[in-house]
Amino acid sequence: MFKRKLFIVSTIILILVTASALFVKAQYVVPVIMYHKIDGDSSRSRLSVSPESFKRQMCFLKDSRYNVVKLEDLAEMAKKDKFPAKTIAITFDDGYENNYINAYPVLEALGLHATIFIIPAMVGTEGYMTWPQILEMSESRVITIGSHSMTHPWLPDQPEQKMDSEIQDSKRAIESHLNKEVSAFSYPLGGFNNNVREKVIKAGYKIAVATNPGKKYPKHDLFAMKRLRISNTSDNLFVFWFEITGFYTWIKEHRDKD
């Protein structure tokens, strides 16, 4: 009788542990981290990360043997729903000059790849990168340039023709300057809907990243890839590690309202 009860209890525990493990695995979202300014001026922008913190975070990825991949490579992985252990992608929005000055040298020294989404209309203006700087990075082994629209508007509110122009003309403008295909798009301000998403697909992009599309969108939708915003709150490497575990997105989506 005792052995029978022990067997039943052991079986129940095994089932619960297995079910829990499967549930946790199902919540995994490959981490795509998002930076903006690498200048340390957090008093003016909560999206600012100091050059020192950025370097520590990148060294952590390198030293901890993270599989830092090109954003476009996630497309093939997502189709198969198979991601190598510790896979992560690094992105930057807006194309600030401090990305070139403070982030690019670190990425190149460590051999870590990143995608920088630029706004063609802002290129060369105060605080933003120039075309020669963008071209230099594009020709390196570590930087891919993507589109962040032509002028950075909230796309869902734009007339159809303006929406098409923002999505298509930005792609053409970058391709004409770099003489290479642009296949990644970042929705400005994180704003998109099904109409915007379809236009990005029709424009010929292979992958698009959002900010926080919410749990109603599939976890690996190639044209609504979920990202984790990195700010000065991630200066603590334990916080940074927790955010890039692959499970923080699920926690955040169930903590916040859509």
Side-chain angles (χ1 to χ4, degrees):
M1 180 65 72
F2 174 76
K3 289 184 177 180
R4 178 178 174 79
K5 288 182 178 179
L6 181 61
F7 174 76
I8 293 173
V9 171
S10 299
T11 301
I12 292 173
I13 291 174
L14 180 61
I15 292 172
L16 290 175
V17 170
T18 302
S20 297
L22 291 173
F23 174 80
V24 170
K25 184 179 179 181
Q27 311 317 316
Y28 176 83
V29 178
V30 62
V32 178
I33 57 178
M34 171 180 57
Y35 291 96
H36 288 78
K37 295 181 178 181
I38 310 298
D39 63 357
D41 193 2
S42 58
S43 63
R44 297 182 61 184
S45 173
R46 65 187 179 89
L47 299 178
S48 176
V49 173
S50 73
E52 295 77 19
S53 286
F54 178 77
K55 185 174 182 179
R56 283 197 301 271
Q57 292 163 359
M58 295 303 101
C59 286
F60 175 80
L61 295 180
K62 184 74 173 182
D63 295 342
S64 301
R65 300 182 182 277
Y66 274 79
N67 179 40
V68 181
V69 301
K70 293 182 179 180
L71 182 66
E72 293 88 337
D73 290 345
L74 289 183
E76 290 304 315
M77 296 180 191
K79 289 175 183 177
K80 300 175 183 178
D81 197 25
K82 291 184 178 180
F83 301 94
K86 291 187 172 182
T87 293
I88 189 171
I90 303 168
T91 67
F92 295 79
D93 277 2
D94 301 331
Y96 294 109
E97 190 173 30
N98 51 59
N99 294 177
Y100 173 80
I101 296 171
N102 297 324
Y104 171 48
V106 174
L107 294 167
E108 189 168 45
L110 296 175
L112 300 179
H113 198 279
T115 298
I116 299 180
F117 295 101
I118 66 170
I119 309 162
M122 301 302 294
V123 173
T125 62
E126 185 176 0
Y128 291 83
M129 293 184 292
T130 64
W131 283 115
Q133 291 170 333
I134 294 168
L135 180 60
E136 177 188 339
M137 291 192 300
S138 176
E139 293 180 342
S140 75
R141 63 196 175 101
V142 295
I143 301 295
T144 295
I145 303 298
S147 169
H148 200 29
S149 80
M150 197 70 186
T151 65
H152 202 264
W154 178 263
L155 288 175
D157 289 347
Q158 303 304 310
E160 292 291 312
Q161 187 173 356
K162 172 68 172 174
M163 197 184 300
D164 288 334
S165 174
E166 290 287 341
I167 295 169
Q168 298 174 14
D169 291 354
S170 59
K171 188 177 192 296
R172 296 192 191 102
I174 300 171
E175 288 176 341
S176 68
H177 278 89
L178 305 185
N179 196 30
K180 60 176 60 175
E181 182 184 9
V182 171
S183 58
F185 187 84
S186 173
Y187 300 103
L189 304 169
F192 80 107
N193 54 24
N194 288 336
N195 188 30
V196 174
R197 182 182 179 281
E198 286 302 313
K199 287 183 179 296
V200 167
I201 295 172
K202 290 179 181 179
Y205 294 97
K206 296 178 180 177
I207 193 168
V209 293
T211 302
N212 183 30
K215 54 182 175 286
K216 67 180 179 180
Y217 280 90
K219 61 182 182 178
H220 294 136
D221 184 331
L222 288 183
F223 292 92
M225 291 295 287
K226 300 178 179 184
R227 290 190 293 173
L228 301 165
R229 182 187 290 112
I230 303 298
S231 64
N232 59 354
T233 59
S234 305
D235 287 349
N236 184 307
L237 282 181
F238 178 79
V239 174
F240 180 72
W241 166 81
F242 179 66
E243 290 177 334
I244 64 174
T245 56
F247 301 103
Y248 181 70
T249 296
W250 181 85
I251 294 171
K252 186 177 184 299
E253 287 181 341
H254 287 76
R255 180 194 66 197
D256 301 340
K257 294 180 180 180
D258 283 345

